[in-house]
Amino acid sequence: MGIFRTLFIPLVAFQHYRKGNLRGERLKPLNKGWLQQAGRGFGKLRYAIGSNDRLAQEALGWILKRQTNEGTWYTIYQALMNLMALQEAQDNGIGSFQKEIDRGFRGLLSWRGQTPDGQWFMQQIMASGWDTPQTVIGLNELPDRKKYVSSAVYHKAVDFIVNTQVRVKGDWAYSTPQLVPGGWSFDPANPDYPDSDVATANLEALLKSPQLATDPRVQRAFIRGHKWVMALQNSDGGFPAWEKGTSSTFNSFYQMLFDKAPDFSDLGQTDVTGRILKYLAHLKHSRFKYLASERVIQKACKFMLKNRSDKKKNLWEGRWLVAFSDGTAEATDALLETGCWNHHDAWSSLHWLYLKQGADGGWGEDHQSFIEGRFIKSQSTVMLTTYAIQPFLTYERLYRQKTGKRSPFYMTLVKAMKFLMAKIPENGLIRERSFSGVIAKKLWYANYALSPQYMTLRAFGRYLQLPFAANY
């Protein structure tokens, strides 16, 4: 079930205890024994076994065990679903959950934020487990990092990464019970849901950190995290976000019931697999190159090529960013970095991205692309441009190494860099509300406020490493 479990289990309890759905059924007080069984009946789609009341009791146990110390449950949507289920159960005399409900609402209130112009908003999820390593990666790309950030600040960020590594088993252990914990979670306060994408970002950040060469504690965290991510690879070569070997059965059934239903499946994902491939490519050129399995890389490359949305044009649909621009950029960059593609293989994908670049030098794509299954242009955004430019940076580097000349896509890079530079205000703080991030395709999108900042830093750093950068 993957992450769908966090939505489905509270829904089971909520629907069962709603007064309109009880149909005279006699309800039993919460069996504390179910706290020890919490969620097991939902681990491998076994929710058809047993009475409805038994499953609802187990769902309540799961909810109570998954509440964090801050009182929340992963994202704002899951938190609201769980609070509704607890309230319905309490209203029907199943137990007293007022303490958990009050703690949940206090946790939600702590997620409030305020813009510089005084507008209040709710954060969908606390993201320090993602933003911190991504910022470190951006700093690592700069030719002279120490010129821009002090060693104390940098080392503090690396320490944060090591200290927030997950050391307990979560729901991912349903399918891999023998796997030693070692991932990272989007929100470090929630250790139940580390994911391979966040874990890879943390590994990528550590890979180029000076501490990895000198600090045994950092080395142990790195190796442990690497093994955890590699163990999640599915048999088809792709990497899911949360859980290995999940079935598409439930999501397919769900989409049959509801027209244009959002995709909650946690199967192998193009953009996640692509980022893991790029990490492995960089790993091959480090002192830890012995950890980079060529078998894992080749299986993942085959998965990428098999899962193209358009095999004639070599296009992919992304999962966590809108949509064909992101998927195609991530896949092309990964295949180039690993050597699974050469510069001739990548031509059609890069040419398609080149044709989608706006006159202003940026890229933009509408959410409707997910609904219609084709690229639909929108206003250029910093967020999407920083992702779309990545394969062009890789292509330019490899083309230069092979030919000693500028690539045919050189001016694409120049236009994109001008677009990004024009978006940086005097104070250096990029503020963009593009909602290019994807929580659930076709339904729920996110504005990752800090992403345009560190992704721009990353693009500039990679550009400055190119041989011709000093001339521009």
Side-chain angles (χ1 to χ4, degrees), residues 39-89:
R40 291 186 184 179
F42 303 91
K44 287 287 187 179
L45 296 178
R46 293 193 295 269
Y47 42 80
I49 300 175
S51 68
N52 290 337
D53 194 52
R54 170 176 173 157
L55 285 173
Q57 291 250 341
E58 190 175 343
L60 284 177
W62 183 93
I63 290 170
L64 294 173
K65 286 188 74 172
R66 293 301 184 276
Q67 189 174 28
T68 68
N69 293 333
E70 296 176 345
T72 56
W73 290 266
Y74 202 57
T75 74
I76 186 173
Y77 187 78
Q78 279 94 339
L80 291 171
M81 287 286 295
N82 284 298
L83 287 170
M84 289 165 60
L86 290 176
Q87 188 67 59
E88 289 287 345

Side-chain angles (χ1 to χ4, degrees), residues 5-168:
R5 188 183 287 107
T6 67
L7 303 172
F8 179 72
I9 292 179
L11 184 62
V12 168
F14 174 71
Q15 288 290 86
H16 182 69
Y17 293 121
R18 282 186 68 189
K19 291 181 180 178
N21 293 344
L22 294 178
R23 300 176 184 175
E25 184 176 352
R26 184 178 178 181
L27 299 177
K28 303 173 185 176
L30 179 64
N31 181 344
K32 297 297 183 181
W34 289 124
L35 289 176
Q36 304 304 318
Q37 301 288 330
R40 291 186 184 179
F42 303 91
K44 287 287 187 179
L45 296 178
R46 293 193 295 269
Y47 42 80
I49 300 175
S51 68
N52 290 337
D53 194 52
R54 170 176 173 157
L55 285 173
Q57 291 250 341
E58 190 175 343
L60 284 177
W62 183 93
I63 290 170
L64 294 173
K65 286 188 74 172
R66 293 301 184 276
Q67 189 174 28
T68 68
N69 293 333
E70 296 176 345
T72 56
W73 290 266
Y74 202 57
T75 74
I76 186 173
Y77 187 78
Q78 279 94 339
L80 291 171
M81 287 286 295
N82 284 298
L83 287 170
M84 289 165 60
L86 290 176
Q87 188 67 59
E88 289 287 345
Q90 178 172 276
D91 290 347
N92 282 288
I94 304 304
S96 176
F97 307 115
Q98 198 58 51
K99 179 181 176 182
E100 288 80 9
I101 292 171
D102 290 344
R103 193 153 57 95
F105 276 109
R106 285 195 300 270
L108 283 177
L109 288 175
S110 72
W111 285 8
R112 290 179 301 173
Q114 194 171 21
T115 63
D117 56 2
Q119 291 184 350
W120 287 95
F121 63 92
M122 284 295 295
Q123 297 183 89
Q124 298 190 49
I125 186 172
M126 303 302 285
S128 58
W130 174 259
D131 288 338
T132 302
Q134 291 289 356
T135 302
V136 173
I137 292 170
L139 293 171
N140 287 340
E141 293 289 359
L142 296 175
D144 188 5
R145 170 177 54 79
K146 293 181 180 178
K147 181 180 177 181
Y148 303 99
V149 62
S150 70
S151 295
V153 170
Y154 183 88
H155 290 167
K156 190 174 181 180
V158 172
D159 285 341
F160 175 87
I161 290 173
V162 174
N163 293 335
T164 54
Q165 186 176 37
V166 173
R167 296 302 182 93
V168 297

